[in-house]
Amino acid sequence: MADVHFTNVRIFDGGGEQPFLGELLVSGNRIQRVVKTAFGQRSQPVAGALVIDGGGAFLMPGMVEAHTHFSWNDQPSLDAIQRMPPEEHILWCAEVARRYLDMGWTSCVGAACAKPRLDVVIRNAINDGTIVGPRYLAASQEITVPGGLGDTTQPHLPQPEFAFGAVVSGAEEMRRCVRMFAKYGVDSLKINLSGESITGMSSEMSQFTEEEIRTCVQEAKAWGKRVAAHARSTWAIKQCVKQGIEVIYHASFADEEALDLLEAHKFEHFIAPGLAWLIRTVNNASEYGLTPEVTKKMGYHRELEAAIASMQAMRKRGIRILPGGDYGFAWTPHGTNARDLEYFVRHVGMSTMEALLSATAWGGPMMKQGKDIGYLREGCLADILLIDGDPLADITILQDKARILAVMKDGAFHRAPPVREGSGSAYLREVRPMNRWAA
């Protein structure tokens, strides 16, 4: 793997400071050197290195998606997702993994898969180089109860193969379920603590007993696994804190007590609200039968208002809010995930700096990588994006693949920057192999 020397770039290093003009050297899979430079100043290139003259482009860490469903297949219903045959389904997941990397998401946290081993197989295939994709943490199916969110079986077809989730009833069935997924090799267990209005069970309802939840968490931790929860209801959010569930998805209906609990334990939990699901279900799903009249009756308009208020309150209390959530439905297609950052700015009140940090520096701990990712600093893993434009001035730039000039993961280019010759427009120059700038 050749060294890569980025020059003439504006470096956003993930520390929360304004970008600075500088250079960055990648050696192997890590960042070896980061230096600030004056305008027009360049250091001597490294012998044999590939020199990327950024022409003033924006260099930033790769992004982290905190609530990923590779196996959601851009369809309008849970049945349409789950009933895809397994052979086609694994190919779909492989294609989606590439799509995420294409769009600058160099790390993704699996939030549930539609069949028991899809996430594990994809993670392993990425890790051994069989397929191309981001760093990935594999999740279980959604664990639910009979009749709860994720139980899509019918009375005449009660077989578990017809269920979107893994259906359990009682502590011992929960224990067996967790052990099964641990055997398969998941990184995390996903439990549906609340309903989802589109399935007929209100988002404000909760479906597990405390004993069942406690068994899930205890068993998962015994196997060294993390637990994540679909938790829209007030009770579900409080259970996440009480039971030690680290990852909280949605958290729409957070009352003052829930906010106080989260604030008191804010370094123990991650929140990924999935605002895109609510915003686009309310405004952009009419062609799939989810007109504003229908979604209002379902309660999604009320939930959207509650979720925005909850996230605004959490932001003020310093609770970590990360991008990601339920992309992979027809009206939230994969690859449009950077909309979350726009929504964070527009609805939650984040600055563009905060939104960018939520997708970079805050994602390292979520990926269990600490500060190894999410930063452009010496010694960090070389997950790097080269951007045409300034996301701090316009966060929507990150939704445009054409503006993402290059994607590097683990020191290797997934997408190398284009070669553009001419004054002020050369993004790629090579030094082979002497210490001189290419003409």
Side-chain angles (χ1 to χ4, degrees):
M1 186 184 298
D3 291 351
V4 179
H5 190 179
F6 292 93
T7 71
N8 193 19
V9 288
R10 289 176 298 123
I11 299 174
F12 173 79
D13 72 356
E17 305 297 327
Q18 289 297 314
F20 56 87
L21 189 65
E23 300 184 351
L24 182 148
L25 177 65
V26 174
S27 183
N29 70 337
R30 292 192 178 267
I31 298 169
Q32 184 174 8
R33 187 170 70 241
V34 181
V35 296
K36 295 182 179 180
T37 59
F39 181 77
Q41 176 187 359
R42 289 176 178 167
S43 62
Q44 286 294 314
V46 176
L50 176 68
V51 176
I52 308 296
D53 182 340
F58 192 93
L59 199 72
M60 62 175 280
M63 295 187 290
V64 180
E65 220 275 5
H67 185 163
T68 313
H69 298 294
F70 283 164
S71 56
W72 280 208
N73 54 14
D74 290 351
Q75 294 296 313
S77 71
L78 298 185
D79 275 346
I81 294 171
Q82 197 274 338
R83 301 296 164 86
M84 183 179 237
E87 297 85 356
E88 285 85 351
H89 218 152
I90 197 67
L91 292 175
W92 167 267
C93 293
E95 172 56 31
V96 168
R98 176 185 288 273
R99 194 185 305 179
Y100 274 70
L101 198 53
D102 277 343
M103 293 303 297
W105 301 95
T106 53
S107 295
C108 293
V109 179
C113 53
K115 295 181 177 67
R117 294 183 61 248
L118 285 177
D119 259 20
V120 169
V121 171
I122 287 295
R123 179 203 62 199
N124 293 348
I126 291 171
N127 289 346
D128 67 22
T130 301
I131 65 171
V132 172
R135 303 178 190 276
Y136 194 58
L137 295 181
S140 68
Q141 282 178 288
E142 298 181 353
I143 302 174
T144 188
V145 300
L149 169 62
D151 178 13
T152 54
T153 59
Q154 298 296 318
H156 66 295
L157 294 171
Q159 294 85 355
E161 291 79 12
F162 287 97
F164 185 82
V167 183
V168 303
S169 189
E172 288 310 306
E173 288 189 12
M174 174 67 79
R175 194 183 312 279
R176 179 177 180 83
C177 180
V178 171
R179 289 174 175 175
M180 177 188 71
F181 283 120
K183 171 186 174 181
Y184 292 161
V186 301
D187 296 301
S188 66
L189 284 301
K190 170 73 173 292
I191 181 170
N192 287 345
L193 293 188
S194 71
E196 180 69 52
S197 297
I198 198 172
T199 68
M201 183 180 189
S202 169
S203 298
E204 295 184 71
M205 293 177 63
S206 302
Q207 55 202 58
F208 277 100
T209 66
E210 289 196 39
E211 182 187 15
E212 290 168 328
I213 301 168
R214 187 164 51 251
T215 299
C216 177
V217 174
Q218 289 176 347
E219 197 65 33
K221 290 183 177 180
W223 288 84
K225 308 299 180 182
R226 170 191 273 169
V227 181
H230 172 99
R232 294 190 182 274
S233 72
T234 306
W235 184 85
I237 299 166
K238 294 174 185 178
Q239 282 295 311
C240 288
V241 180
K242 181 177 180 179
Q243 305 284 359
I245 294 175
E246 186 178 353
V247 181
I248 305 174
Y249 290 133
H250 308 300
S252 301
F253 296 101
D255 64 9
E256 283 299 311
E257 182 184 6
L259 291 169
D260 289 343
L261 285 169
L262 286 170
E263 184 177 10
H265 298 271
K266 62 185 177 183
F267 298 115
E268 301 167 30
H269 299 277
F270 302 93
I271 310 294
L275 290 181
W277 162 261
L278 293 172
I279 291 168
R280 296 190 64 81
T281 298
V282 165
N283 297 298
N284 302 93
S286 292
E287 65 181 291
Y288 305 100
L290 296 173
T291 64
E293 294 76 19
V294 170
T295 54
K296 188 171 185 178
K297 289 179 181 178
M298 287 180 172
Y300 279 121
H301 295 244
R302 178 174 176 274
E303 182 175 353
L304 177 56
E305 291 179 3
I308 289 172
S310 292
M311 293 311 117
Q312 290 173 345
M314 288 182 200
R315 172 184 170 267
K316 291 177 182 177
R317 292 167 179 251
I319 297 163
R320 294 177 293 191
I321 304 171
L322 284 76
D326 289 330
Y327 288 91
F329 282 89
W331 51 94
T332 56
H334 291 297
T336 63
N337 307 61
R339 283 176 177 158
D340 267 32
L341 306 184
E342 177 187 357
Y343 297 150
F344 283 176
V345 172
R346 186 192 303 176
H347 299 291
V348 179
M350 287 188 184
S351 65
T352 53
M353 175 67 77
E354 288 175 286
L356 210 55
L357 290 172
S358 77
T360 54
W362 301 355
M366 180 68 165
M367 282 293 297
K368 300 184 177 181
Q369 295 272 5
K371 293 186 177 182
D372 244 5
I373 62 174
Y375 293 88
L376 299 186
R377 293 177 176 172
E378 293 179 7
C380 290
L381 290 166
D383 292 359
I384 300 172
L385 308 180
L386 185 68
I387 308 297
D388 175 19
D390 185 356
L392 292 173
D394 180 5
I395 200 71
T396 67
I397 284 172
L398 296 172
Q399 299 175 35
D400 184 353
K401 182 179 177 181
R403 304 294 290 274
I404 304 173
L405 301 173
V407 178
M408 173 180 281
K409 175 199 162 191
D410 209 37
F413 279 116
H414 167 64
R415 285 173 46 211
V419 177
R420 299 182 184 177
E421 295 303 331
S423 177
S425 63
Y427 284 111
L428 175 59
R429 296 180 181 178
E430 297 185 44
V431 177
R432 299 177 186 271
M434 304 301 293
N435 277 339
R436 62 178 179 82
W437 297 105

